[in-house]
Amino acid sequence: MAHLKGKEAVRVINAALGRQEEWSWSRDSRAMLGTILLLLALAKPASPSPASAASRRAEALKKLLEVFGMEDPPPPPTHSKQPPQYMVDLFNTVANADGVTKNPDILEGNTVRSFLDKTHGEKMRFLFVLSSVGKNEKILTAELHLFRLWPRATEGPKRHHLCQVSVYQVLEQSETDAPGGKKLLAARLVPLQGSGWEVFAITQAVRDWTEDESSNQGLLVTVQGLGGSPLEPSPLQFASGKDHHESKKPMLVLFTDDGRRGASQPAVGFPDLQPQTPALPAKMLAPRVAGSRRTRSLDRLQPCQRHPLSVDFEEIGWSGWIISPRGYNAYHCKGSCPFPLGENMRPTNHATVQSIINALKLSEGVSSPCCVPDKLYSINLLYFDDDENVVLKQYDDMVAGSCGCH
């Protein structure tokens, strides 16, 4: 419109505004015309500036963090840090290499948190800081994991093969031996020979601590003979956080649930559930490139089906705090739902009726059914949180398992 001049431009603007009479060619009219032409110029679509592209990316990442239940991405660990082997093994048991849930019955709740001992070597006393547990998380089960060391040749009474290990919640830090100074949480017989992990239930203590952080005075572990008599020196030793390998450090494992639920189903037979196109994966948050009109037309003619959609955590900038997976295939649904809908389209009854109404033009404004995910799967992330604790979290409805016309 910038090439229009004088009264010709005025007539065009009058027509656009629905005016029948002609404007007089006054100074005010010329000023208004200039303003309108300026607004039209400003309204023209322009290629996004680097600043606006960065702003859009930041907004997209913020929305993605909301999907993962976070406000900000946790910072990477300050030094090279290995996750506890228990957490790695648990991830591999629950999920496949892409993080997709393969065994949904393993986890109790949707979050598993691990905490390392903060006493740094004080024998048989343990302290775990639980400040990262959300107020909305329901405490389901808490376990104390202690690695039992091989006994030394000179240790232990020769006639005994077992001893009693007791775990107490400390109530009074300086008076654990006084009445009311500690509360028994778990006790059982443990063999003196061999080595390996021993697990004790401490759920009630953790519930107390999450309700009142100041009540967290730690745990005390004692080793006694079968009759309850003290054993000096103790024939049984557990690995400490200071003197032993990272893989054997004392650990608290907490199973919680934050109440987030979706419609995800077990990934039985995933991912070969449905034919997919050989299209290259679309990178998450990558700039969009407009295809040709011919390509878009062909897309609309293709039947509804599942296509790859790669989410690469390294490309997003999250690889510093996410341990596994490095990324995953979310898949997306694309294609037409033409009348009549065949069984291969996996239509709902509602979609079938809608397709008929649309095809026969029985009602105005009724479109054809849409190609959408009809089966969704959950994924699992193993990551470092803000306090460098390792967390395993399950997120529902993250992968399109199959597509259908709905």
Side-chain angles (χ1 to χ4, degrees):
M1 186 171 179
H3 67 281
L4 299 179
K5 295 182 180 180
K7 293 185 178 182
E8 184 183 357
V10 173
R11 283 195 298 271
V12 172
I13 294 171
N14 279 337
L17 296 176
R19 298 175 60 97
Q20 299 299 320
E21 70 277 5
E22 291 287 340
W23 281 351
S24 62
W25 196 240
S26 63
R27 179 182 301 176
D28 290 342
S29 298
R30 289 196 297 270
M32 180 174 288
L33 174 60
T35 301
I36 293 175
L37 291 174
L38 176 61
L39 290 174
L40 287 173
L42 292 175
K44 285 184 179 180
S47 56
S49 66
S52 64
S55 176
R56 286 176 60 84
R57 178 181 175 84
E59 182 66 22
L61 287 173
K62 181 180 178 181
K63 291 294 183 184
L64 191 58
L65 279 170
E66 290 176 4
V67 170
F68 288 108
M70 303 176 187
E71 292 184 3
D72 298 296
T78 53
H79 61 279
S80 180
K81 193 172 183 180
Q82 292 298 315
Q85 190 59 44
Y86 173 84
M87 298 297 288
V88 175
D89 292 342
L90 185 59
F91 174 87
N92 291 331
T93 302
V94 171
N96 65 18
D98 289 332
V100 180
T101 303
K102 64 181 180 182
N103 197 335
D105 299 323
I106 295 293
L107 292 188
E108 184 181 7
N110 59 11
T111 308
V112 185
R113 298 180 180 274
S114 62
F115 303 87
L116 296 182
D117 175 40
K118 298 299 184 181
T119 59
H120 302 299
E122 188 176 346
K123 290 186 177 179
M124 309 306 265
R125 294 289 290 265
F126 306 95
L127 179 67
F128 303 95
V129 178
L130 308 180
S131 56
S132 59
V133 179
K135 297 297 183 183
N136 63 324
E137 291 184 55
K138 181 180 179 181
I139 306 299
L140 301 175
T141 302
E143 300 172 344
L144 174 65
H145 291 222
L146 299 176
F147 189 84
R148 176 165 46 90
L149 301 171
W150 279 95
R152 295 174 182 171
T154 58
E155 290 181 348
K158 300 293 188 283
R159 65 183 184 277
H160 292 316
H161 299 286
L162 298 170
C163 63
Q164 179 173 297
V165 176
S166 302
V167 180
Y168 294 90
Q169 177 182 353
V170 176
L171 303 178
E172 294 292 340
Q173 184 75 21
S174 58
E175 301 179 359
T176 55
D177 292 331
K182 60 183 182 294
K183 180 171 69 175
L184 181 65
L185 298 173
R188 72 160 184 275
L189 298 178
V190 174
L192 290 175
Q193 299 300 315
S195 67
W197 287 99
E198 299 291 340
V199 179
F200 302 90
I202 57 169
T203 307
Q204 189 53 55
V206 171
R207 285 178 177 157
D208 292 343
W209 297 338
T210 53
E211 290 176 5
D212 179 10
E213 285 188 37
S214 64
S215 68
N216 184 359
Q217 303 295 315
L219 300 170
L220 171 68
V221 176
T222 63
V223 179
Q224 298 173 312
L226 295 180
S229 58
L231 298 176
E232 294 293 343
S234 174
L236 185 65
Q237 295 291 331
F238 294 107
S240 69
K242 179 181 180 182
D243 302 324
H244 298 92
H245 190 268
E246 184 112 3
S247 63
K248 298 177 182 178
K249 288 184 176 182
M251 179 173 60
L252 188 156
V253 178
L254 179 59
F255 295 81
T256 69
D257 194 294
D258 63 6
R260 291 159 56 104
R261 280 291 175 271
S264 294
Q265 304 176 33
V268 179
F270 182 87
D272 297 321
L273 298 174
Q274 182 179 327
Q276 60 189 51
T277 65
L280 293 174
K283 291 295 185 180
M284 191 69 156
L285 304 178
R288 292 185 178 180
V289 178
S292 67
R293 186 174 302 175
R294 174 181 173 83
T295 301
R296 293 195 295 271
S297 298
L298 289 175
D299 285 343
R300 286 194 292 269
L301 293 175
Q302 294 292 324
C304 175
Q305 57 189 313
R306 194 179 62 159
H307 299 260
L309 174 60
S310 174
V311 181
D312 188 331
F313 293 131
E314 183 173 0
E315 183 177 316
I316 294 172
W318 292 359
S319 59
W321 57 275
I322 293 181
I323 303 166
S324 284
R326 309 313 295 174
Y328 74 100
N329 199 336
Y331 294 96
H332 71 112
C333 297
K334 184 171 65 174
S336 63
C337 294
F339 175 82
L341 296 178
E343 287 301 317
N344 63 316
M345 300 289 184
R346 305 167 67 93
T348 60
N349 289 337
H350 180 273
T352 300
V353 172
Q354 181 174 333
S355 177
I356 294 170
I357 298 297
N358 170 262
L360 300 181
K361 309 297 182 186
L362 298 180
S363 180
E364 290 185 7
V366 177
S367 61
S368 60
C370 297
C371 179
V372 296
D374 63 359
K375 189 176 291 185
L376 294 164
Y377 298 138
S378 60
I379 66 165
N380 301 266
L381 290 190
L382 188 68
Y383 64 90
F384 291 103
D385 68 10
D386 290 331
D387 298 325
E388 298 188 7
N389 301 309
V390 175
V391 180
L392 171 60
K393 196 167 182 67
Q394 193 169 93
Y395 298 91
D396 287 345
D397 302 345
M398 298 296 287
V399 175
S402 62
C403 302
C405 293
H406 288 211

